[in-house]
Amino acid sequence: MSKGGWSGVMPDLDRESIVPLYRQIYEQLREAILTGTLPASTRLPSERSFAQRLAVTRSTVVRAYRELVVDGLIEQRVGAGSRVALRGRPAPAEHSAAIPWWVSLPSWRVGEYPMVLGELAAKHDLGRISFVQGIAPDEPSPLGELAKSFARVASDPRLVLSYGDSEGYGPLRDAIAARMRARGVKREAANTIVLTGSTQGIMIVAQSLAEPGDEIIVESPSYPGALQIFQICGLRAIAVPVDDDGMRVDHVEAVLRTRRPRFIYTMPSLHNPTNATMNADRRERLVTIAKRAGVPIVEDDPYGPLAPGDAPPLVALAPEHVVYLSTFSKTIAPGLRVGWLCAPRPILERLLLRKQAYDMATSLYAQAAVTDYLERAYDEHVMLLREELLLRRTLADRAIATYWPSSFRASKPVGGFYLWATTPREIRARSLLDAAERLGASFLFGGAFFAMPGGEHHLRLALTAVKRDEIAEGIRRIGEAIDALRS
Amino acid sequence: MSKGGWSGVMPDLDRESIVPLYRQIYEQLREAILTGTLPASTRLPSERSFAQRLAVTRSTVVRAYRELVVDGLIEQRVGAGSRVALRGRPAPAEHSAAIPWWVSLPSWRVGEYPMVLGELAAKHDLGRISFVQGIAPDEPSPLGELAKSFARVASDPRLVLSYGDSEGYGPLRDAIAARMRARGVKREAANTIVLTGSTQGIMIVAQSLAEPGDEIIVESPSYPGALQIFQICGLRAIAVPVDDDGMRVDHVEAVLRTRRPRFIYTMPSLHNPTNATMNADRRERLVTIAKRAGVPIVEDDPYGPLAPGDAPPLVALAPEHVVYLSTFSKTIAPGLRVGWLCAPRPILERLLLRKQAYDMATSLYAQAAVTDYLERAYDEHVMLLREELLLRRTLADRAIATYWPSSFRASKPVGGFYLWATTPREIRARSLLDAAERLGASFLFGGAFFAMPGGEHHLRLALTAVKRDEIAEGIRRIGEAIDALRS
């Protein structure tokens, strides 16, 4: 390099910036090369002389140049110094106007659950008794008290006309943490992030705790929304079975003997779709082996507060080893889009950064209304809701005993939203659904709930999705469909 | 392989499933190996004999085995067939209980904007005149009419007690599309997805249209929330300057000569932070060169409906070449968290899948209330808001002329939320902020708005974030801080 002038770009360095100096140099040279200010073949100053003129250490310039080499923007040869490369990359092929731009998009991980979430969020079919959606029953209704809560906060500009903190509305985080502590969980507001529904929490952990190609452990069957998210994120699900006592922890143990998955995703209380609640022995064991393996547990607990007895969640056993997700969608209303996560402090900021990127902050207005509702009406509503769920299951069991052949088995666990049934070998759930829809009833067939093939002999009935007095009639129609298939 | 029995796993194939048969075989063998059902060194049947027994083609088994080889789960040797590998992977090192699990998390792309979004969403400091947050002014207030809209929909269980469609509430999508058409944009409800704020749309395009490592074009300065999202997603931003007439399209052209970025991110109307609106010539040119290069434009338009004259957005010029994002956060209230995107139909499903993963669906309750508000109160509110913005800018210009030295320059374009000012060389914006905060006024310094180093001589004042009668006093306090720094 000439010791004399360098007529090219002289980076403007901000020595107070949090951006490292090497990166400031790199980025300004990069822009200059990309925009043509430094044309191809331009000789760059030697590292030493450039460092002198910029009043930085030589290693700072070395590092900046190295990044440019990696980008293919400059070339370095021993003895000949550094030059702007002939082109940064091969010149892009001329684009044909006839080809739409989306043809060359990056490949798309959709896999086998192309639109499952969409199906779950689907419309209620008119005239059909649809046991499809996992929504709370129409009675007991939270609407009256909820409208009052919204009206109370609607006039406060601080709650409607601002974004609020990304981690959530302070009084709501306090209220959530207090309720967690009442369930035996040592968590504070500082461990809590308010979410726009708990689905958001599943996406946050999928993108924050793992990378595409990583393995995770899931239950089989499991919540299809979660399976779809894991698939979109390129995670490889190792499926572990669920029985009436919850996840088969002995299978988890076998997997952990040879694999190191990024996390274990489980819904231990009122599991979707089987309604199973993991027993105390398995909970203890799962936490023990997960800790020993250094693999965190992601506990998805949308239904936990509705479990008969309200047993403590897994996170109570190991607050620092569990990322806990829950929501008010099942206990109050899905239209709120308010959920939360609890996590160890050291990873909270990482999780929060994703939450911010997904939607900046959850509606402060909705958060404030939920806070008000929690104080005034929530406990009574949940108590009535639990009773309603037990009553609905009783009605369903009675109708099944009347209208379905005994070769159909319904899952034992009660108390939640779902009834999980197994068909006899000769009847496939998908064919049964087709027949039932013709007779005016619908449900979800098992396939969507399995990370692996399976579920062809299972069906899920959301007993909450219909009016209480439609349960028996809906089950009767499915019974009629069974008869039609068998004859 | 012996022609006789294979005592190992016999995959259970579902021939009606959408899951390909090779994948069913692969996944069931994979689980069997991982859980130890097929122990290390177990010989697998030959591809031919296994295919016969499963009644599938040989190539189906070949493909399933190949996937298992890629996973390191089986080994194949010519002449010796296939065996379960000694271990699927090296046995995981025994985890030390003393090391917390988060120490081994995947690396975290945070870069230089660790918590910028958080700062933007920060609390209002009491007692300080804070020009920080990009929120709508307190007057004209939408609160009265908005409360009525919420009250109207609060009693309808279909709007509160269900999730609704992921793409959004039908009547709202219709209303949005009609308003887009009124602005000269040929878009239908079928091109529209309702978002939980337009930040969500930025994350959707960042994850749907590009992959980590890909290049994109951004404006410099630009919205820090977008820059942070692009960084989290591992995208490499090529920065192009903005002047009083908007993005320097000649720079875009220079970049496109040698690079093929995944998209061009621009805020062409009332740009944040400069308030610039791109002129008509540049709009035409940008669309022309982007089409020729086959690079889509992501138009972020939160402030567009407030622009004096309400000029048609970029998407009006090339509906099939632009992904358009906007929001009601600036025109009604950020607490709603309701925004939208418009995109060509062929990529809508891809974008929708991400939206679902981020939060399933935007609050149906909020969407229904916005729909009602749009019908009754929106147009008048926006008209008053435009007048208020012009008035505030007049007040600010007058105060600046009185209290700031003439070496400070304010950006020319008026009408939006922001005033972008340039300090003289001897005054750094960050030092000025420190001094101003001591005197009871705050703003954002320019650094956060640059994808590259820069901004040390810029500040952004959100004129909307304070009460109207505080504008002059806040600017006076900053003037006092300037005097303090100069003396």
Side-chain angles (χ1 to χ4, degrees), chain A residues 14 31 71 101 104 106 121 160 163-164 207 228 236 239 262 320 330 335 337 350 353 356 359 361 363 428, chain B residues 14 26 31 71 101 104 106 121 160 163-164 207 228 236 239 262 320 330 335 337 350 353 359 361 363 428:
Chain A
D14 178 356
E31 196 201 3
D71 286 355
W101 60 268
S104 56
V160 184
Y163 287 94
Q207 294 207 310
Q228 174 163 310
R236 300 158 63 96
R262 284 292 187 180
E320 292 295 283
K330 310 302 178 182
R337 309 311 298 124
R350 179 192 273 250
L353 195 70
Q356 288 177 338
D359 66 4
S363 165
R428 302 176 70 90
Chain B
D14 179 356
Y26 157 71
E31 197 202 4
D71 287 353
W101 58 269
S104 56
V160 184
Y163 287 94
Q207 294 206 309
Q228 173 163 310
R236 300 157 64 97
R262 284 294 188 180
E320 292 295 284
K330 310 300 179 183
R337 311 309 300 122
R350 178 192 273 249
L353 195 70
D359 67 2
S363 165
R428 301 177 71 91

Short mmCIF file of all heavy atoms in Angstrom, two decimals, chain A residues 14 31 71 101 104 106 121 160 163-164 207 228 236 239 262 320 330 335 337 350 353 356 359 361 363 428, chain B residues 14 26 31 71 101 104 106 121 160 163-164 207 228 236 239 262 320 330 335 337 350 353 359 361 363 428:
data_model
loop_
_atom_site.label_atom_id
_atom_site.label_comp_id
_atom_site.label_asym_id
_atom_site.label_seq_id
_atom_site.Cartn_x
_atom_site.Cartn_y
_atom_site.Cartn_z
N ASP A 14 -17.35 5.66 15.56
CA ASP A 14 -17.97 6.20 16.77
C ASP A 14 -17.39 5.42 17.95
O ASP A 14 -17.77 4.28 18.20
CB ASP A 14 -19.49 6.01 16.69
CG ASP A 14 -20.19 6.51 17.94
OD1 ASP A 14 -19.49 6.93 18.88
OD2 ASP A 14 -21.43 6.49 17.96
N GLU A 31 -20.55 -1.53 2.70
CA GLU A 31 -21.52 -0.73 1.97
C GLU A 31 -20.86 -0.05 0.77
O GLU A 31 -21.42 0.01 -0.32
CB GLU A 31 -22.19 0.31 2.86
CG GLU A 31 -23.46 0.84 2.17
CD GLU A 31 -23.93 2.20 2.67
OE1 GLU A 31 -23.24 2.78 3.53
OE2 GLU A 31 -24.96 2.66 2.18
N ASP A 71 -17.08 -12.69 3.25
CA ASP A 71 -18.20 -12.27 2.39
C ASP A 71 -17.87 -12.37 0.90
O ASP A 71 -18.74 -12.14 0.06
CB ASP A 71 -18.58 -10.81 2.66
CG ASP A 71 -19.31 -10.65 3.98
OD1 ASP A 71 -19.60 -11.67 4.62
OD2 ASP A 71 -19.59 -9.50 4.36
N TRP A 101 -41.72 -13.56 -8.37
CA TRP A 101 -40.62 -13.59 -7.42
C TRP A 101 -40.73 -14.70 -6.40
O TRP A 101 -39.75 -15.18 -5.88
CB TRP A 101 -40.48 -12.22 -6.72
CG TRP A 101 -41.70 -11.77 -5.96
CD1 TRP A 101 -42.72 -11.00 -6.44
CD2 TRP A 101 -42.04 -12.05 -4.60
NE1 TRP A 101 -43.67 -10.78 -5.46
CE2 TRP A 101 -43.27 -11.41 -4.32
CE3 TRP A 101 -41.42 -12.77 -3.58
CZ2 TRP A 101 -43.90 -11.48 -3.08
CZ3 TRP A 101 -42.05 -12.84 -2.34
CH2 TRP A 101 -43.27 -12.21 -2.10
N SER A 104 -38.75 -18.29 -6.25
CA SER A 104 -37.41 -18.54 -5.72
C SER A 104 -37.31 -18.32 -4.21
O SER A 104 -36.23 -18.11 -3.68
CB SER A 104 -36.40 -17.64 -6.45
OG SER A 104 -36.80 -16.29 -6.32
N PRO A 106 -37.10 -19.23 -0.20
CA PRO A 106 -36.43 -20.34 0.49
C PRO A 106 -37.42 -21.50 0.68
O PRO A 106 -38.62 -21.28 0.72
CB PRO A 106 -36.04 -19.76 1.85
CG PRO A 106 -36.27 -18.30 1.80
CD PRO A 106 -37.12 -18.00 0.61
N ALA A 121 -58.63 -23.58 14.46
CA ALA A 121 -59.21 -22.25 14.63
C ALA A 121 -60.43 -22.08 13.73
O ALA A 121 -60.91 -20.97 13.53
CB ALA A 121 -58.16 -21.19 14.32
N VAL A 160 -54.97 2.03 27.09
CA VAL A 160 -55.45 1.79 25.72
C VAL A 160 -54.53 2.45 24.70
O VAL A 160 -54.27 1.91 23.63
CB VAL A 160 -56.89 2.32 25.53
CG1 VAL A 160 -57.41 1.98 24.15
CG2 VAL A 160 -57.81 1.75 26.60
N TYR A 163 -48.28 1.11 24.38
CA TYR A 163 -47.91 -0.27 24.09
C TYR A 163 -47.72 -1.09 25.36
O TYR A 163 -47.95 -2.28 25.38
CB TYR A 163 -46.60 -0.30 23.29
CG TYR A 163 -46.75 0.14 21.87
CD1 TYR A 163 -46.52 1.45 21.49
CD2 TYR A 163 -47.13 -0.77 20.89
CE1 TYR A 163 -46.65 1.86 20.18
CE2 TYR A 163 -47.27 -0.37 19.57
CZ TYR A 163 -47.04 0.95 19.22
OH TYR A 163 -47.18 1.33 17.92
N GLY A 164 -47.26 -0.42 26.44
CA GLY A 164 -46.92 -1.17 27.64
C GLY A 164 -45.61 -1.90 27.48
O GLY A 164 -45.02 -1.93 26.40
N GLN A 207 -38.16 -21.61 19.14
CA GLN A 207 -37.14 -20.81 18.45
C GLN A 207 -36.03 -20.33 19.39
O GLN A 207 -34.97 -19.93 18.90
CB GLN A 207 -37.80 -19.60 17.77
CG GLN A 207 -38.72 -20.03 16.63
CD GLN A 207 -38.88 -18.97 15.54
OE1 GLN A 207 -39.16 -17.82 15.82
NE2 GLN A 207 -38.70 -19.36 14.29
N GLN A 228 -47.17 -28.86 14.99
CA GLN A 228 -46.98 -28.07 13.78
C GLN A 228 -45.88 -27.02 13.97
O GLN A 228 -45.04 -26.82 13.10
CB GLN A 228 -48.28 -27.39 13.37
CG GLN A 228 -48.07 -26.45 12.19
CD GLN A 228 -49.36 -26.06 11.51
OE1 GLN A 228 -50.16 -26.92 11.16
NE2 GLN A 228 -49.56 -24.79 11.33
N ARG A 236 -36.89 -32.03 15.29
CA ARG A 236 -37.17 -33.43 15.04
C ARG A 236 -37.75 -34.02 16.31
O ARG A 236 -37.07 -34.13 17.33
CB ARG A 236 -35.90 -34.14 14.62
CG ARG A 236 -35.32 -33.51 13.33
CD ARG A 236 -33.86 -33.79 13.18
NE ARG A 236 -33.61 -35.20 13.04
CZ ARG A 236 -33.48 -35.84 11.90
NH1 ARG A 236 -33.53 -35.16 10.76
NH2 ARG A 236 -33.25 -37.12 11.85
N ALA A 239 -41.06 -39.20 19.64
CA ALA A 239 -42.38 -39.36 20.26
C ALA A 239 -42.35 -40.41 21.36
O ALA A 239 -41.78 -41.48 21.20
CB ALA A 239 -43.39 -39.75 19.20
N ARG A 262 -33.16 -31.17 22.97
CA ARG A 262 -33.08 -29.80 23.47
C ARG A 262 -34.07 -29.54 24.60
O ARG A 262 -33.83 -28.72 25.47
CB ARG A 262 -33.34 -28.81 22.33
CG ARG A 262 -32.18 -28.65 21.41
CD ARG A 262 -31.03 -27.96 22.12
NE ARG A 262 -29.97 -27.64 21.19
CZ ARG A 262 -28.84 -27.04 21.56
NH1 ARG A 262 -28.63 -26.72 22.83
NH2 ARG A 262 -27.93 -26.77 20.67
N GLU A 320 -36.44 -24.11 38.48
CA GLU A 320 -35.34 -23.68 37.62
C GLU A 320 -35.11 -24.62 36.44
O GLU A 320 -34.24 -24.38 35.62
CB GLU A 320 -34.03 -23.57 38.43
CG GLU A 320 -34.03 -22.44 39.45
CD GLU A 320 -34.11 -21.06 38.80
OE1 GLU A 320 -33.08 -20.61 38.28
OE2 GLU A 320 -35.20 -20.46 38.82
N LYS A 330 -58.64 -21.03 28.16
CA LYS A 330 -59.54 -22.11 28.55
C LYS A 330 -60.32 -21.77 29.80
O LYS A 330 -61.43 -22.26 29.99
CB LYS A 330 -58.73 -23.40 28.78
CG LYS A 330 -57.78 -23.76 27.66
CD LYS A 330 -58.47 -23.94 26.30
CE LYS A 330 -57.44 -24.26 25.22
NZ LYS A 330 -58.05 -24.39 23.89
N GLY A 335 -60.88 -15.33 23.13
CA GLY A 335 -60.88 -14.04 22.45
C GLY A 335 -59.98 -13.02 23.13
O GLY A 335 -59.65 -11.99 22.54
N ARG A 337 -56.85 -13.60 24.09
CA ARG A 337 -55.45 -13.80 23.69
C ARG A 337 -54.51 -13.33 24.79
O ARG A 337 -53.61 -12.52 24.57
CB ARG A 337 -55.10 -13.11 22.35
CG ARG A 337 -56.02 -13.36 21.17
CD ARG A 337 -56.38 -14.79 20.86
NE ARG A 337 -55.26 -15.66 20.53
CZ ARG A 337 -55.00 -16.79 21.19
NH1 ARG A 337 -55.75 -17.19 22.21
NH2 ARG A 337 -54.01 -17.53 20.82
N ARG A 350 -33.81 -13.76 26.83
CA ARG A 350 -33.78 -14.45 25.54
C ARG A 350 -35.19 -14.75 25.05
O ARG A 350 -35.52 -14.55 23.88
CB ARG A 350 -32.99 -15.75 25.71
CG ARG A 350 -32.89 -16.60 24.49
CD ARG A 350 -32.35 -17.99 24.82
NE ARG A 350 -30.92 -18.07 24.82
CZ ARG A 350 -30.18 -18.73 23.90
NH1 ARG A 350 -30.78 -19.36 22.89
NH2 ARG A 350 -28.89 -18.80 23.98
N LEU A 353 -37.05 -11.48 24.04
CA LEU A 353 -36.66 -10.90 22.75
C LEU A 353 -37.52 -11.46 21.62
O LEU A 353 -37.91 -10.76 20.69
CB LEU A 353 -35.18 -11.20 22.49
CG LEU A 353 -34.54 -10.39 21.39
CD1 LEU A 353 -34.39 -8.94 21.82
CD2 LEU A 353 -33.17 -10.96 21.06
N GLN A 356 -41.12 -10.06 21.87
CA GLN A 356 -41.15 -8.73 21.28
C GLN A 356 -41.22 -8.79 19.77
O GLN A 356 -41.92 -8.02 19.13
CB GLN A 356 -39.89 -7.96 21.67
CG GLN A 356 -39.86 -7.52 23.11
CD GLN A 356 -38.57 -6.83 23.46
OE1 GLN A 356 -37.56 -7.00 22.80
NE2 GLN A 356 -38.60 -6.04 24.51
N ASP A 359 -44.84 -9.78 18.47
CA ASP A 359 -45.93 -8.80 18.48
C ASP A 359 -45.69 -7.61 19.40
O ASP A 359 -46.65 -6.97 19.81
CB ASP A 359 -47.28 -9.45 18.80
CG ASP A 359 -47.36 -10.01 20.21
OD1 ASP A 359 -46.39 -9.84 20.99
OD2 ASP A 359 -48.38 -10.62 20.55
N ALA A 361 -45.82 -6.40 22.22
CA ALA A 361 -46.37 -6.54 23.57
C ALA A 361 -47.80 -7.03 23.42
O ALA A 361 -48.45 -6.76 22.42
CB ALA A 361 -46.35 -5.19 24.30
N SER A 363 -51.72 -6.93 24.14
CA SER A 363 -52.65 -5.81 24.35
C SER A 363 -52.74 -5.43 25.83
O SER A 363 -53.17 -6.21 26.68
CB SER A 363 -54.05 -6.19 23.85
OG SER A 363 -54.99 -5.27 24.35
N ARG A 428 -62.06 -47.27 11.04
CA ARG A 428 -61.06 -46.22 11.02
C ARG A 428 -61.73 -44.89 11.35
O ARG A 428 -62.81 -44.59 10.85
CB ARG A 428 -60.38 -46.14 9.66
CG ARG A 428 -59.72 -47.45 9.28
CD ARG A 428 -59.15 -47.38 7.89
NE ARG A 428 -57.98 -46.51 7.85
CZ ARG A 428 -56.74 -46.93 8.06
NH1 ARG A 428 -56.49 -48.20 8.30
NH2 ARG A 428 -55.75 -46.08 8.01
N ASP B 14 -50.16 -46.80 7.44
CA ASP B 14 -51.49 -46.25 7.16
C ASP B 14 -51.48 -45.78 5.70
O ASP B 14 -50.94 -44.74 5.37
CB ASP B 14 -51.76 -45.07 8.10
CG ASP B 14 -53.12 -44.43 7.84
OD1 ASP B 14 -53.80 -44.85 6.88
OD2 ASP B 14 -53.49 -43.52 8.59
N TYR B 26 -39.63 -45.04 8.21
CA TYR B 26 -38.48 -44.38 8.83
C TYR B 26 -38.76 -43.99 10.27
O TYR B 26 -37.98 -44.28 11.18
CB TYR B 26 -38.11 -43.14 8.00
CG TYR B 26 -37.36 -42.07 8.74
CD1 TYR B 26 -36.02 -42.28 9.13
CD2 TYR B 26 -37.96 -40.86 9.06
CE1 TYR B 26 -35.33 -41.29 9.82
CE2 TYR B 26 -37.27 -39.87 9.74
CZ TYR B 26 -35.96 -40.09 10.13
OH TYR B 26 -35.28 -39.12 10.82
N GLU B 31 -38.01 -44.55 16.02
CA GLU B 31 -38.42 -44.58 17.42
C GLU B 31 -37.97 -45.89 18.08
O GLU B 31 -37.51 -45.91 19.22
CB GLU B 31 -39.93 -44.41 17.58
CG GLU B 31 -40.27 -44.04 19.02
CD GLU B 31 -41.68 -44.35 19.44
OE1 GLU B 31 -42.43 -44.94 18.64
OE2 GLU B 31 -42.02 -44.04 20.59
N ASP B 71 -29.21 -40.13 9.74
CA ASP B 71 -29.32 -39.86 11.17
C ASP B 71 -28.22 -40.54 11.98
O ASP B 71 -28.11 -40.32 13.19
CB ASP B 71 -30.66 -40.38 11.71
CG ASP B 71 -31.83 -39.50 11.27
OD1 ASP B 71 -31.58 -38.45 10.67
OD2 ASP B 71 -32.98 -39.89 11.54
N TRP B 101 -28.82 -25.91 32.83
CA TRP B 101 -29.08 -26.37 31.46
C TRP B 101 -28.94 -25.26 30.45
O TRP B 101 -28.61 -25.49 29.30
CB TRP B 101 -30.46 -27.03 31.36
CG TRP B 101 -31.62 -26.16 31.76
CD1 TRP B 101 -32.18 -26.05 33.00
CD2 TRP B 101 -32.37 -25.27 30.93
NE1 TRP B 101 -33.22 -25.15 32.99
CE2 TRP B 101 -33.37 -24.65 31.73
CE3 TRP B 101 -32.32 -24.93 29.58
CZ2 TRP B 101 -34.28 -23.73 31.23
CZ3 TRP B 101 -33.23 -24.00 29.08
CH2 TRP B 101 -34.19 -23.42 29.91
N SER B 104 -25.85 -24.51 27.86
CA SER B 104 -25.60 -25.15 26.57
C SER B 104 -26.67 -24.83 25.53
O SER B 104 -26.84 -25.55 24.55
CB SER B 104 -25.51 -26.66 26.77
OG SER B 104 -26.68 -27.12 27.40
N PRO B 106 -28.46 -23.06 22.27
CA PRO B 106 -27.87 -22.63 20.99
C PRO B 106 -27.45 -21.17 21.08
O PRO B 106 -28.00 -20.41 21.88
CB PRO B 106 -29.02 -22.79 19.99
CG PRO B 106 -30.11 -23.51 20.67
CD PRO B 106 -29.85 -23.51 22.13
N ALA B 121 -40.93 0.16 23.95
CA ALA B 121 -42.17 -0.16 24.66
C ALA B 121 -42.09 0.30 26.11
O ALA B 121 -42.91 -0.07 26.93
CB ALA B 121 -42.41 -1.66 24.58
N VAL B 160 -66.18 -13.42 21.60
CA VAL B 160 -65.29 -13.40 22.77
C VAL B 160 -64.86 -14.82 23.13
O VAL B 160 -63.73 -15.05 23.56
CB VAL B 160 -65.98 -12.73 23.98
CG1 VAL B 160 -65.04 -12.61 25.16
CG2 VAL B 160 -66.53 -11.35 23.60
N TYR B 163 -61.82 -18.64 19.02
CA TYR B 163 -60.53 -18.18 18.51
C TYR B 163 -60.67 -17.39 17.21
O TYR B 163 -59.89 -16.51 16.93
CB TYR B 163 -59.61 -19.38 18.25
CG TYR B 163 -59.08 -20.02 19.50
CD1 TYR B 163 -59.72 -21.10 20.09
CD2 TYR B 163 -57.93 -19.53 20.12
CE1 TYR B 163 -59.23 -21.68 21.25
CE2 TYR B 163 -57.44 -20.11 21.28
CZ TYR B 163 -58.10 -21.19 21.83
OH TYR B 163 -57.61 -21.76 22.97
N GLY B 164 -61.67 -17.74 16.43
CA GLY B 164 -61.78 -17.11 15.12
C GLY B 164 -60.76 -17.68 14.16
O GLY B 164 -59.90 -18.48 14.53
N GLN B 207 -39.12 -14.16 8.53
CA GLN B 207 -38.96 -15.61 8.66
C GLN B 207 -39.55 -16.38 7.47
O GLN B 207 -39.21 -17.54 7.29
CB GLN B 207 -39.59 -16.11 9.96
CG GLN B 207 -38.85 -15.56 11.20
CD GLN B 207 -38.98 -16.46 12.42
OE1 GLN B 207 -40.07 -16.85 12.80
NE2 GLN B 207 -37.85 -16.79 13.04
N GLN B 228 -34.00 -4.75 14.58
CA GLN B 228 -33.75 -5.78 15.58
C GLN B 228 -34.30 -7.12 15.12
O GLN B 228 -33.66 -8.16 15.27
CB GLN B 228 -34.38 -5.40 16.92
CG GLN B 228 -34.27 -6.53 17.94
CD GLN B 228 -34.50 -6.08 19.36
OE1 GLN B 228 -33.91 -5.11 19.81
NE2 GLN B 228 -35.35 -6.79 20.06
N ARG B 236 -28.80 -10.20 6.87
CA ARG B 236 -27.72 -9.23 6.73
C ARG B 236 -28.27 -8.02 5.99
O ARG B 236 -28.63 -8.10 4.82
CB ARG B 236 -26.55 -9.86 5.99
CG ARG B 236 -26.01 -11.09 6.75
CD ARG B 236 -25.26 -12.02 5.83
NE ARG B 236 -24.10 -11.38 5.29
CZ ARG B 236 -22.87 -11.51 5.77
NH1 ARG B 236 -22.66 -12.27 6.82
NH2 ARG B 236 -21.86 -10.89 5.22
N ALA B 239 -27.57 -1.35 3.92
CA ALA B 239 -28.24 -0.09 4.27
C ALA B 239 -28.16 0.90 3.11
O ALA B 239 -27.12 1.05 2.48
CB ALA B 239 -27.60 0.50 5.51
N ARG B 262 -33.06 -10.71 -0.54
CA ARG B 262 -34.36 -11.41 -0.48
C ARG B 262 -35.54 -10.45 -0.56
O ARG B 262 -36.58 -10.81 -1.07
CB ARG B 262 -34.45 -12.21 0.82
CG ARG B 262 -33.65 -13.48 0.80
CD ARG B 262 -34.21 -14.46 -0.21
NE ARG B 262 -33.56 -15.76 -0.10
CZ ARG B 262 -33.87 -16.79 -0.87
NH1 ARG B 262 -34.79 -16.67 -1.81
NH2 ARG B 262 -33.25 -17.94 -0.73
N GLU B 320 -48.80 -7.20 -6.97
CA GLU B 320 -48.26 -8.56 -6.90
C GLU B 320 -46.77 -8.57 -6.53
O GLU B 320 -46.18 -9.63 -6.40
CB GLU B 320 -48.45 -9.29 -8.23
CG GLU B 320 -49.88 -9.59 -8.56
CD GLU B 320 -50.51 -10.57 -7.58
OE1 GLU B 320 -50.21 -11.77 -7.68
OE2 GLU B 320 -51.28 -10.14 -6.70
N LYS B 330 -51.30 3.42 15.17
CA LYS B 330 -51.01 4.84 15.08
C LYS B 330 -52.27 5.64 14.81
O LYS B 330 -52.37 6.80 15.18
CB LYS B 330 -49.99 5.11 13.97
CG LYS B 330 -48.74 4.23 14.04
CD LYS B 330 -47.96 4.40 15.33
CE LYS B 330 -46.74 3.48 15.37
NZ LYS B 330 -46.01 3.57 16.63
N GLY B 335 -52.93 -0.11 22.06
CA GLY B 335 -53.43 -1.12 22.98
C GLY B 335 -54.34 -2.14 22.30
O GLY B 335 -54.62 -3.19 22.85
N ARG B 337 -53.59 -3.74 19.49
CA ARG B 337 -52.77 -4.75 18.82
C ARG B 337 -53.51 -5.33 17.61
O ARG B 337 -53.68 -6.55 17.50
CB ARG B 337 -52.31 -5.88 19.76
CG ARG B 337 -51.69 -5.48 21.07
CD ARG B 337 -50.57 -4.46 21.04
NE ARG B 337 -49.40 -4.83 20.28
CZ ARG B 337 -48.92 -4.10 19.25
NH1 ARG B 337 -49.52 -3.00 18.85
NH2 ARG B 337 -47.84 -4.48 18.63
N ARG B 350 -48.26 -19.35 3.15
CA ARG B 350 -46.95 -19.40 3.79
C ARG B 350 -46.85 -18.36 4.91
O ARG B 350 -46.37 -18.64 6.01
CB ARG B 350 -45.87 -19.13 2.73
CG ARG B 350 -44.46 -19.11 3.24
CD ARG B 350 -43.51 -18.55 2.19
NE ARG B 350 -43.02 -19.54 1.27
CZ ARG B 350 -41.74 -19.97 1.24
NH1 ARG B 350 -40.85 -19.49 2.08
NH2 ARG B 350 -41.35 -20.86 0.37
N LEU B 353 -49.14 -19.34 7.92
CA LEU B 353 -48.64 -20.41 8.79
C LEU B 353 -47.79 -19.83 9.91
O LEU B 353 -47.84 -20.28 11.06
CB LEU B 353 -47.82 -21.38 7.95
CG LEU B 353 -47.52 -22.71 8.59
CD1 LEU B 353 -48.78 -23.54 8.69
CD2 LEU B 353 -46.47 -23.46 7.79
N ASP B 359 -49.21 -16.64 17.27
CA ASP B 359 -50.27 -16.44 18.28
C ASP B 359 -51.64 -16.99 17.89
O ASP B 359 -52.65 -16.55 18.42
CB ASP B 359 -50.40 -14.96 18.68
CG ASP B 359 -50.91 -14.07 17.53
OD1 ASP B 359 -51.21 -14.60 16.45
OD2 ASP B 359 -51.01 -12.85 17.73
N ALA B 361 -54.31 -16.65 16.42
CA ALA B 361 -55.21 -15.70 15.76
C ALA B 361 -55.19 -14.43 16.59
O ALA B 361 -54.95 -14.47 17.79
CB ALA B 361 -56.63 -16.27 15.69
N SER B 363 -56.90 -11.40 18.55
CA SER B 363 -58.11 -11.34 19.37
C SER B 363 -59.34 -10.99 18.52
O SER B 363 -59.43 -9.92 17.93
CB SER B 363 -57.94 -10.28 20.46
OG SER B 363 -59.22 -9.97 21.02
N ARG B 428 -22.72 15.66 20.35
CA ARG B 428 -23.16 14.30 20.09
C ARG B 428 -24.53 14.09 20.73
O ARG B 428 -24.76 14.53 21.86
CB ARG B 428 -22.16 13.31 20.65
CG ARG B 428 -20.76 13.49 20.06
CD ARG B 428 -19.78 12.55 20.70
NE ARG B 428 -20.06 11.18 20.27
CZ ARG B 428 -19.51 10.62 19.21
NH1 ARG B 428 -18.62 11.28 18.49
NH2 ARG B 428 -19.80 9.39 18.87
#
